[in-house]
Amino acid sequence: MKLYFFSLIRAYRWYALGMSVVAGFAAWFGLAVVDQIRVVTDSIVAYQAGETVSPTQPIIAFLFYKLGHHGMYFLNRLLDIRYKPRLLSQLITDAYTQTVGHSLQWFESHLSGDIASKIADFQDGCMTIVTAGFRALVSVVAISLSVVFLWKIHPIPALTLGVFILIYVPILAALMKHQMKLQHRYVQARQQTMGIITDSIINIFSLKTIGNTARNIQSTLMPAVNRWRMRDHKTRIFDAWWVDNVDTLMITGMVSAQVYVAAQLYLNGAVSVGGFLVAVVMTLNIHREVDQFLDVLLFTINPAVAQVSEAYHVMYEPY
């Protein structure tokens, strides 16, 4: 599986490079917008105090950064227009070519509906990973660059964020590892159930004339549906009790600590009113980015990876 996706990255290296560059600039422009609030605020305070400082230039810079931030997402759309249709076509062609190359014995041992479901899940999961991966990369770069922007205001808020990241990353890795196991089981149950449903519809004539619909539902479909329901239930319990609660506790602690540190620095005269304002706004922005990253990673990318992995291991079995 790794070799296949490395070959895709090589084939679409300019797409991957373009998205990485755009994600980096999108994160930088977003933080520059927040940081420019500090410059505008301090210039307004200085102007009101009688200093010969005009807030016009900082406001123009603010508009430039804001335009640049939105412009990066437009560039990402242009990259998608150029490369995504071609990638979609290749994914479907590769999956279909690999599948029909199997022996008749292989097809007899797999439900045709299950195979069709895996082909659809394979391309859908890959495209989801590409789309969500860009959003996750923007969040990662934004969180990392936040340390630099906070350092410009004062080293202590930056160090506070750095400590939070060092604690958060291993906890997130542990949550991802367990959730991936749950997602694999969930996707497997879903694909098997959809395979049974599709096969039943394909063979509906035989089922109605020779077989027994009610018996087929009770003996074949309901066990698969119950297995799907049970695994969906376990996945949702883990997401609610562990992922959401751990994220809430850690983010609340980080935000509270950052606001307290910024307030103390302002009261001690270590930062200006603009610096205090931006430290608080940037802390809330980091909160939003971490929440978005967690949501994209655990609830979009992780399920998509499990979906692609389950489909790949069946379709790319040895002939």
Side-chain angles (χ1 to χ4, degrees):
M1 182 173 172
K2 290 181 180 178
L3 293 176
Y4 176 76
F5 285 104
F6 279 139
S7 68
L8 280 181
I9 292 173
R10 284 196 300 269
Y12 293 89
R13 56 188 176 275
W14 293 113
Y15 185 30
L17 179 62
M19 283 205 306
S20 300
V21 172
V22 169
F25 275 104
W28 185 85
F29 274 119
L31 291 172
V33 168
V34 178
D35 186 62
Q36 195 64 18
I37 295 174
R38 171 181 61 85
V39 180
V40 172
T41 304
D42 288 342
S43 64
I44 292 174
V45 171
Y47 181 78
Q48 290 178 334
E51 298 182 20
T52 56
V53 178
S54 174
T56 303
Q57 186 174 353
I59 291 174
I60 293 173
F62 174 84
L63 294 175
F64 169 75
Y65 292 143
K66 191 66 176 176
L67 181 63
H69 182 237
H70 286 277
M72 291 302 105
Y73 287 94
F74 176 69
L75 289 179
N76 179 55
R77 296 282 188 186
L78 295 181
L79 287 171
D80 287 345
I81 290 171
R82 178 174 178 81
Y83 290 103
K84 262 192 175 179
R86 192 194 315 171
L87 177 60
L88 175 64
S89 175
Q90 181 173 346
L91 289 170
I92 295 175
T93 304
D94 289 349
Y96 178 78
T97 303
Q98 179 67 25
T99 302
V100 298
H102 285 290
S103 64
L104 291 176
Q105 183 180 2
W106 183 88
F107 278 97
E108 289 176 356
S109 63
H110 293 81
L111 294 172
S112 57
D114 189 21
I115 297 171
S117 176
K118 283 177 168 53
I119 293 175
D121 279 354
F122 180 74
Q123 64 83 20
D124 180 63
C126 288
M127 301 304 285
T128 299
I129 291 170
V130 171
T131 302
F134 173 78
R135 290 159 52 200
L137 183 59
V138 172
S139 295
V140 169
V141 176
I143 294 167
S144 303
L145 288 178
S146 295
V147 178
V148 178
F149 278 86
L150 286 173
W151 191 278
K152 288 171 58 180
I153 299 171
H154 199 278
I156 293 180
L159 292 173
T160 304
L161 176 60
V163 170
F164 166 77
I165 293 173
L166 292 176
I167 297 173
Y168 191 78
V169 168
I171 294 176
L172 179 63
L175 292 174
M176 280 185 60
K177 184 178 180 181
H178 186 72
Q179 195 205 39
M180 182 62 75
K181 293 179 182 178
L182 295 175
Q183 286 292 343
H184 270 289
R185 295 168 186 167
Y186 167 80
V187 170
Q188 188 179 51
R190 180 178 61 79
Q191 289 178 344
Q192 289 174 351
T193 304
M194 294 308 298
I196 292 171
I197 293 172
T198 306
D199 268 31
S200 298
I201 294 173
I202 291 173
N203 300 309
I204 192 65
F205 180 79
S206 300
L207 185 63
K208 284 183 172 293
T209 55
I210 302 173
N212 187 303
T213 305
R215 186 185 305 132
N216 180 71
I217 292 174
Q218 290 299 321
S219 63
T220 307
L221 180 61
M222 289 311 299
V225 170
N226 288 333
R227 186 164 53 249
W228 184 4
R229 177 180 58 82
M230 179 188 66
R231 292 179 179 177
D232 179 62
H233 182 67
K234 288 183 177 179
T235 303
R236 292 182 187 279
I237 287 176
F238 179 77
D239 291 343
W241 284 98
W242 287 97
V243 176
D244 285 349
N245 286 332
V246 168
D247 175 61
T248 298
L249 289 173
M250 294 199 64
I251 293 296
T252 302
M254 185 272 290
V255 171
S256 302
Q258 285 283 61
V259 172
Y260 175 79
V261 167
Q264 290 298 316
L265 290 173
Y266 174 67
L267 291 174
N268 294 330
V271 298
S272 65
V273 62
F276 168 73
L277 178 63
V278 168
V280 173
V281 172
M282 194 166 289
T283 297
L284 296 176
N285 185 62
I286 293 167
H287 182 188
R288 180 179 60 82
E289 292 293 347
V290 171
D291 269 350
Q292 178 174 302
F293 174 71
L294 187 72
D295 183 66
V296 169
L297 186 64
L298 293 182
F299 302 124
T300 303
I301 295 179
N302 239 15
V305 170
Q307 185 176 308
V308 170
S309 178
E310 283 295 327
Y312 183 90
H313 287 310
V314 172
M315 293 188 305
Y316 283 79
E317 284 178 343
Y319 289 143

mmCIF file of all heavy atoms in Angstrom, residues 3-4 26 29 32 38 43 46-47 74 79 81 86 164 180 199 222 229 259 261 277 286-288 295-296 307:
data_model
loop_
_atom_site.group_PDB
_atom_site.id
_atom_site.type_symbol
_atom_site.label_atom_id
_atom_site.label_comp_id
_atom_site.label_asym_id
_atom_site.label_seq_id
_atom_site.Cartn_x
_atom_site.Cartn_y
_atom_site.Cartn_z
ATOM 1 N N LEU A 3 3.883 1.587 -1.177
ATOM 2 C CA LEU A 3 4.529 1.751 -2.477
ATOM 3 C C LEU A 3 3.574 2.380 -3.489
ATOM 4 O O LEU A 3 3.972 3.240 -4.289
ATOM 5 C CB LEU A 3 5.020 0.393 -2.989
ATOM 6 C CG LEU A 3 6.168 -0.254 -2.196
ATOM 7 C CD1 LEU A 3 6.483 -1.637 -2.760
ATOM 8 C CD2 LEU A 3 7.410 0.636 -2.237
ATOM 9 N N TYR A 4 2.303 1.967 -3.447
ATOM 10 C CA TYR A 4 1.321 2.523 -4.387
ATOM 11 C C TYR A 4 1.137 4.019 -4.155
ATOM 12 O O TYR A 4 1.129 4.813 -5.103
ATOM 13 C CB TYR A 4 -0.013 1.795 -4.237
ATOM 14 C CG TYR A 4 -1.107 2.365 -5.099
ATOM 15 C CD1 TYR A 4 -1.146 2.115 -6.463
ATOM 16 C CD2 TYR A 4 -2.097 3.183 -4.554
ATOM 17 C CE1 TYR A 4 -2.144 2.649 -7.271
ATOM 18 C CE2 TYR A 4 -3.097 3.726 -5.349
ATOM 19 C CZ TYR A 4 -3.117 3.458 -6.705
ATOM 20 O OH TYR A 4 -4.099 4.000 -7.495
ATOM 21 N N ALA A 26 -1.032 30.167 3.375
ATOM 22 C CA ALA A 26 -2.365 30.410 3.937
ATOM 23 C C ALA A 26 -2.280 30.551 5.457
ATOM 24 O O ALA A 26 -2.900 31.448 6.044
ATOM 25 C CB ALA A 26 -3.311 29.275 3.563
ATOM 26 N N PHE A 29 -0.370 33.962 6.263
ATOM 27 C CA PHE A 29 -1.217 35.142 6.060
ATOM 28 C C PHE A 29 -2.287 35.233 7.153
ATOM 29 O O PHE A 29 -2.612 36.326 7.626
ATOM 30 C CB PHE A 29 -1.889 35.088 4.685
ATOM 31 C CG PHE A 29 -1.037 35.656 3.574
ATOM 32 C CD1 PHE A 29 -0.641 34.861 2.515
ATOM 33 C CD2 PHE A 29 -0.657 36.985 3.581
ATOM 34 C CE1 PHE A 29 0.138 35.379 1.486
ATOM 35 C CE2 PHE A 29 0.115 37.518 2.561
ATOM 36 C CZ PHE A 29 0.521 36.710 1.506
ATOM 37 N N ALA A 32 -0.587 36.515 10.163
ATOM 38 C CA ALA A 32 -0.180 37.907 9.930
ATOM 39 C C ALA A 32 -1.364 38.854 10.107
ATOM 40 O O ALA A 32 -1.205 39.983 10.585
ATOM 41 C CB ALA A 32 0.411 38.055 8.530
ATOM 42 N N ARG A 38 -2.295 43.904 16.344
ATOM 43 C CA ARG A 38 -1.424 44.512 17.369
ATOM 44 C C ARG A 38 -0.822 45.814 16.855
ATOM 45 O O ARG A 38 -0.805 46.835 17.557
ATOM 46 C CB ARG A 38 -0.316 43.521 17.744
ATOM 47 C CG ARG A 38 0.780 44.109 18.641
ATOM 48 C CD ARG A 38 1.836 43.057 18.941
ATOM 49 N NE ARG A 38 2.489 42.590 17.732
ATOM 50 C CZ ARG A 38 3.523 43.190 17.151
ATOM 51 N NH1 ARG A 38 4.004 44.319 17.676
ATOM 52 N NH2 ARG A 38 4.068 42.689 16.061
ATOM 53 N N SER A 43 -0.632 51.575 17.029
ATOM 54 C CA SER A 43 -0.506 52.835 16.275
ATOM 55 C C SER A 43 -1.655 53.790 16.608
ATOM 56 O O SER A 43 -1.447 55.002 16.697
ATOM 57 C CB SER A 43 -0.469 52.551 14.768
ATOM 58 O OG SER A 43 -1.690 51.978 14.327
ATOM 59 N N ALA A 46 -0.905 55.201 20.052
ATOM 60 C CA ALA A 46 0.164 56.195 19.946
ATOM 61 C C ALA A 46 -0.337 57.483 19.293
ATOM 62 O O ALA A 46 0.027 58.594 19.701
ATOM 63 C CB ALA A 46 1.330 55.609 19.142
ATOM 64 N N TYR A 47 -1.193 57.353 18.294
ATOM 65 C CA TYR A 47 -1.744 58.532 17.608
ATOM 66 C C TYR A 47 -2.609 59.361 18.559
ATOM 67 O O TYR A 47 -2.548 60.591 18.571
ATOM 68 C CB TYR A 47 -2.555 58.069 16.396
ATOM 69 C CG TYR A 47 -3.159 59.197 15.588
ATOM 70 C CD1 TYR A 47 -2.378 59.942 14.707
ATOM 71 C CD2 TYR A 47 -4.519 59.512 15.716
ATOM 72 C CE1 TYR A 47 -2.926 60.970 13.968
ATOM 73 C CE2 TYR A 47 -5.073 60.550 14.982
ATOM 74 C CZ TYR A 47 -4.280 61.277 14.104
ATOM 75 O OH TYR A 47 -4.827 62.306 13.372
ATOM 76 N N PHE A 74 -8.066 30.332 -2.881
ATOM 77 C CA PHE A 74 -8.421 30.359 -4.297
ATOM 78 C C PHE A 74 -7.380 29.615 -5.126
ATOM 79 O O PHE A 74 -7.728 28.853 -6.046
ATOM 80 C CB PHE A 74 -8.546 31.806 -4.781
ATOM 81 C CG PHE A 74 -8.819 31.932 -6.250
ATOM 82 C CD1 PHE A 74 -10.040 31.548 -6.779
ATOM 83 C CD2 PHE A 74 -7.839 32.427 -7.105
ATOM 84 C CE1 PHE A 74 -10.294 31.652 -8.147
ATOM 85 C CE2 PHE A 74 -8.078 32.532 -8.468
ATOM 86 C CZ PHE A 74 -9.310 32.142 -8.983
ATOM 87 N N LEU A 79 -5.524 24.577 -8.134
ATOM 88 C CA LEU A 79 -4.760 23.320 -8.157
ATOM 89 C C LEU A 79 -5.700 22.121 -8.230
ATOM 90 O O LEU A 79 -5.434 21.153 -8.966
ATOM 91 C CB LEU A 79 -3.874 23.221 -6.918
ATOM 92 C CG LEU A 79 -2.647 24.127 -6.874
ATOM 93 C CD1 LEU A 79 -1.993 24.081 -5.496
ATOM 94 C CD2 LEU A 79 -1.624 23.727 -7.940
ATOM 95 N N ILE A 81 -8.690 22.066 -9.544
ATOM 96 C CA ILE A 81 -9.282 22.022 -10.882
ATOM 97 C C ILE A 81 -8.333 21.344 -11.866
ATOM 98 O O ILE A 81 -8.753 20.559 -12.726
ATOM 99 C CB ILE A 81 -9.618 23.446 -11.360
ATOM 100 C CG1 ILE A 81 -10.795 24.014 -10.544
ATOM 101 C CG2 ILE A 81 -9.958 23.469 -12.850
ATOM 102 C CD1 ILE A 81 -11.063 25.477 -10.788
ATOM 103 N N ARG A 86 -7.992 14.359 -12.889
ATOM 104 C CA ARG A 86 -7.054 13.365 -13.392
ATOM 105 C C ARG A 86 -6.746 12.301 -12.336
ATOM 106 O O ARG A 86 -6.670 11.106 -12.630
ATOM 107 C CB ARG A 86 -5.759 14.058 -13.828
ATOM 108 C CG ARG A 86 -4.824 13.158 -14.642
ATOM 109 C CD ARG A 86 -3.432 13.762 -14.765
ATOM 110 N NE ARG A 86 -3.476 15.187 -15.088
ATOM 111 C CZ ARG A 86 -2.384 15.952 -15.063
ATOM 112 N NH1 ARG A 86 -1.209 15.439 -14.695
ATOM 113 N NH2 ARG A 86 -2.470 17.230 -15.371
ATOM 114 N N PHE A 164 2.500 23.047 25.662
ATOM 115 C CA PHE A 164 1.207 22.445 25.336
ATOM 116 C C PHE A 164 1.336 21.493 24.145
ATOM 117 O O PHE A 164 0.789 20.378 24.162
ATOM 118 C CB PHE A 164 0.191 23.541 25.030
ATOM 119 C CG PHE A 164 -1.055 23.034 24.360
ATOM 120 C CD1 PHE A 164 -2.032 22.375 25.088
ATOM 121 C CD2 PHE A 164 -1.239 23.206 22.992
ATOM 122 C CE1 PHE A 164 -3.169 21.900 24.463
ATOM 123 C CE2 PHE A 164 -2.378 22.737 22.365
ATOM 124 C CZ PHE A 164 -3.348 22.080 23.102
ATOM 125 N N MET A 180 -8.131 4.291 15.043
ATOM 126 C CA MET A 180 -7.910 3.634 13.759
ATOM 127 C C MET A 180 -8.367 2.183 13.797
ATOM 128 O O MET A 180 -8.959 1.668 12.835
ATOM 129 C CB MET A 180 -6.429 3.720 13.374
ATOM 130 C CG MET A 180 -6.103 3.091 12.026
ATOM 131 S SD MET A 180 -6.938 3.899 10.642
ATOM 132 C CE MET A 180 -5.972 5.390 10.494
ATOM 133 N N ASP A 199 -25.825 -7.298 -3.536
ATOM 134 C CA ASP A 199 -25.991 -8.619 -4.139
ATOM 135 C C ASP A 199 -27.446 -9.064 -4.121
ATOM 136 O O ASP A 199 -27.925 -9.695 -5.075
ATOM 137 C CB ASP A 199 -25.123 -9.641 -3.391
ATOM 138 C CG ASP A 199 -23.757 -9.780 -4.031
ATOM 139 O OD1 ASP A 199 -23.288 -8.776 -4.595
ATOM 140 O OD2 ASP A 199 -23.172 -10.878 -3.979
ATOM 141 N N MET A 222 -29.590 -9.194 8.638
ATOM 142 C CA MET A 222 -29.665 -8.681 10.002
ATOM 143 C C MET A 222 -28.387 -8.911 10.816
ATOM 144 O O MET A 222 -27.970 -8.023 11.569
ATOM 145 C CB MET A 222 -30.876 -9.257 10.722
ATOM 146 C CG MET A 222 -32.200 -8.699 10.217
ATOM 147 S SD MET A 222 -32.223 -6.884 10.102
ATOM 148 C CE MET A 222 -31.946 -6.429 11.815
ATOM 149 N N ARG A 229 -23.997 -1.928 13.334
ATOM 150 C CA ARG A 229 -24.528 -1.073 14.386
ATOM 151 C C ARG A 229 -23.669 -1.136 15.648
ATOM 152 O O ARG A 229 -23.399 -0.098 16.273
ATOM 153 C CB ARG A 229 -25.963 -1.507 14.719
ATOM 154 C CG ARG A 229 -26.601 -0.727 15.870
ATOM 155 C CD ARG A 229 -28.016 -1.223 16.122
ATOM 156 N NE ARG A 229 -28.030 -2.638 16.421
ATOM 157 C CZ ARG A 229 -27.767 -3.161 17.623
ATOM 158 N NH1 ARG A 229 -27.449 -2.359 18.627
ATOM 159 N NH2 ARG A 229 -27.819 -4.451 17.815
ATOM 160 N N VAL A 259 -4.195 33.075 28.542
ATOM 161 C CA VAL A 259 -4.839 34.353 28.882
ATOM 162 C C VAL A 259 -4.280 34.891 30.201
ATOM 163 O O VAL A 259 -4.027 36.102 30.340
ATOM 164 C CB VAL A 259 -6.368 34.176 28.963
ATOM 165 C CG1 VAL A 259 -7.024 35.438 29.506
ATOM 166 C CG2 VAL A 259 -6.937 33.839 27.584
ATOM 167 N N VAL A 261 -1.267 34.313 31.498
ATOM 168 C CA VAL A 261 0.108 34.773 31.255
ATOM 169 C C VAL A 261 0.095 36.124 30.550
ATOM 170 O O VAL A 261 0.831 37.049 30.927
ATOM 171 C CB VAL A 261 0.880 33.722 30.423
ATOM 172 C CG1 VAL A 261 2.187 34.315 29.893
ATOM 173 C CG2 VAL A 261 1.172 32.486 31.263
ATOM 174 N N LEU A 277 -3.795 42.182 23.447
ATOM 175 C CA LEU A 277 -4.964 41.869 22.631
ATOM 176 C C LEU A 277 -4.648 40.764 21.632
ATOM 177 O O LEU A 277 -5.420 39.800 21.486
ATOM 178 C CB LEU A 277 -5.431 43.128 21.898
ATOM 179 C CG LEU A 277 -6.624 42.964 20.946
ATOM 180 C CD1 LEU A 277 -7.863 42.533 21.705
ATOM 181 C CD2 LEU A 277 -6.888 44.267 20.194
ATOM 182 N N ILE A 286 -5.580 29.779 17.986
ATOM 183 C CA ILE A 286 -4.926 28.475 18.139
ATOM 184 C C ILE A 286 -5.942 27.429 18.588
ATOM 185 O O ILE A 286 -5.939 26.288 18.117
ATOM 186 C CB ILE A 286 -3.757 28.569 19.145
ATOM 187 C CG1 ILE A 286 -2.642 29.450 18.574
ATOM 188 C CG2 ILE A 286 -3.209 27.184 19.484
ATOM 189 C CD1 ILE A 286 -1.614 29.858 19.603
ATOM 190 N N HIS A 287 -6.817 27.845 19.520
ATOM 191 C CA HIS A 287 -7.896 26.957 19.967
ATOM 192 C C HIS A 287 -8.727 26.477 18.775
ATOM 193 O O HIS A 287 -9.008 25.277 18.635
ATOM 194 C CB HIS A 287 -8.776 27.708 20.975
ATOM 195 C CG HIS A 287 -9.895 26.871 21.532
ATOM 196 N ND1 HIS A 287 -10.874 27.405 22.324
ATOM 197 C CD2 HIS A 287 -10.188 25.559 21.396
ATOM 198 C CE1 HIS A 287 -11.724 26.440 22.661
ATOM 199 N NE2 HIS A 287 -11.333 25.317 22.111
ATOM 200 N N ARG A 288 -9.091 27.416 17.905
ATOM 201 C CA ARG A 288 -9.878 27.066 16.728
ATOM 202 C C ARG A 288 -9.102 26.143 15.790
ATOM 203 O O ARG A 288 -9.653 25.160 15.267
ATOM 204 C CB ARG A 288 -10.294 28.346 15.991
ATOM 205 C CG ARG A 288 -11.118 28.099 14.735
ATOM 206 C CD ARG A 288 -11.501 29.419 14.081
ATOM 207 N NE ARG A 288 -10.339 30.191 13.695
ATOM 208 C CZ ARG A 288 -9.643 29.992 12.579
ATOM 209 N NH1 ARG A 288 -10.002 29.033 11.737
ATOM 210 N NH2 ARG A 288 -8.604 30.752 12.286
ATOM 211 N N ASP A 295 -10.645 17.686 14.537
ATOM 212 C CA ASP A 295 -11.864 17.265 13.847
ATOM 213 C C ASP A 295 -11.539 16.650 12.489
ATOM 214 O O ASP A 295 -12.078 15.594 12.128
ATOM 215 C CB ASP A 295 -12.792 18.466 13.689
ATOM 216 C CG ASP A 295 -14.115 18.092 13.054
ATOM 217 O OD1 ASP A 295 -14.884 17.358 13.680
ATOM 218 O OD2 ASP A 295 -14.374 18.535 11.912
ATOM 219 N N VAL A 296 -10.656 17.303 11.737
ATOM 220 C CA VAL A 296 -10.297 16.806 10.405
ATOM 221 C C VAL A 296 -9.522 15.496 10.513
ATOM 222 O O VAL A 296 -9.783 14.532 9.767
ATOM 223 C CB VAL A 296 -9.469 17.858 9.648
ATOM 224 C CG1 VAL A 296 -8.852 17.264 8.387
ATOM 225 C CG2 VAL A 296 -10.338 19.054 9.288
ATOM 226 N N GLN A 307 -10.975 3.345 5.516
ATOM 227 C CA GLN A 307 -11.783 2.993 4.350
ATOM 228 C C GLN A 307 -10.904 2.565 3.182
ATOM 229 O O GLN A 307 -11.137 1.530 2.551
ATOM 230 C CB GLN A 307 -12.600 4.234 3.985
ATOM 231 C CG GLN A 307 -13.599 4.099 2.880
ATOM 232 C CD GLN A 307 -14.388 5.385 2.709
ATOM 233 O OE1 GLN A 307 -14.951 5.916 3.655
ATOM 234 N NE2 GLN A 307 -14.436 5.905 1.499
#
